[in-house]
Amino acid sequence: MTRLTGDALRVTVFIGENDTWHHKPLYAEIVHRAHTAGLAGASVFRGIEGFGASSRVHTSRLLSLSEDLPVAIVIVDTEKRVRAFLPQLDELVTEGLVILDECEVIRYVGRTDEPGESGAKGKRSL
């Protein structure tokens, strides 16, 4: 069971849905690398409308032809672990925005693999 509480750092990566890394979605590569790096978790959110540095509005509205909708990947972990992961984002994100926010985790507890598991296995603290 994974536990994380207290001060943390949130990294949010804004990219386009069609951005790729070696012919696969960039957001999937970022999530895979965050998992491999042992970060607490990562979530991908698909936007319904937005614009970035190009000032071109991307939207999911029916009459629009845009399919490159905005995507946000959110990762939260200790500051040390998130900062250690930043060089990988620097390699992957060639167009987009990466922001860091200090935050406080109130409660983050992972699910147990086995019913009645004590939670000692895989437990970590800040």
Side-chain angles (χ1 to χ4, degrees), residues 90-102:
D90 190 45
E91 174 190 357
L92 294 170
V93 181
T94 58
E95 293 180 357
L97 175 67
V98 178
I99 61 172
L100 296 173
D101 300 290
E102 292 179 0

Side-chain angles (χ1 to χ4, degrees), residues 18-120:
N18 292 341
D19 292 347
T20 60
W21 178 262
H22 297 286
H23 308 291
K24 74 179 205 179
L26 178 57
Y27 60 82
E29 181 67 17
I30 292 170
V31 168
H32 174 75
R33 288 195 186 192
H35 183 259
T36 300
L39 295 175
S43 297
V44 178
F45 301 94
R46 184 178 190 218
I48 58 173
E49 189 165 47
F51 71 94
S54 70
S55 294
R56 181 172 173 214
V57 175
H58 301 271
T59 181
S60 64
R61 284 183 274 163
L62 186 60
L63 298 177
S64 173
L65 298 177
S66 175
E67 294 179 3
D68 189 22
L69 294 172
V71 171
I73 303 103
V74 179
I75 302 166
V76 177
D77 207 319
T78 63
E79 180 173 359
K80 180 180 178 182
R81 295 172 67 83
V82 167
R83 290 200 182 275
F85 185 68
L86 291 180
Q88 292 196 57
L89 290 178
D90 190 45
E91 174 190 357
L92 294 170
V93 181
T94 58
E95 293 180 357
L97 175 67
V98 178
I99 61 172
L100 296 173
D101 300 290
E102 292 179 0
C103 62
E104 181 180 358
V105 175
I106 303 300
R107 184 170 192 266
Y108 171 69
V109 181
R111 294 185 180 119
T112 59
D113 293 331
E114 300 290 329
E117 184 178 308
S118 69

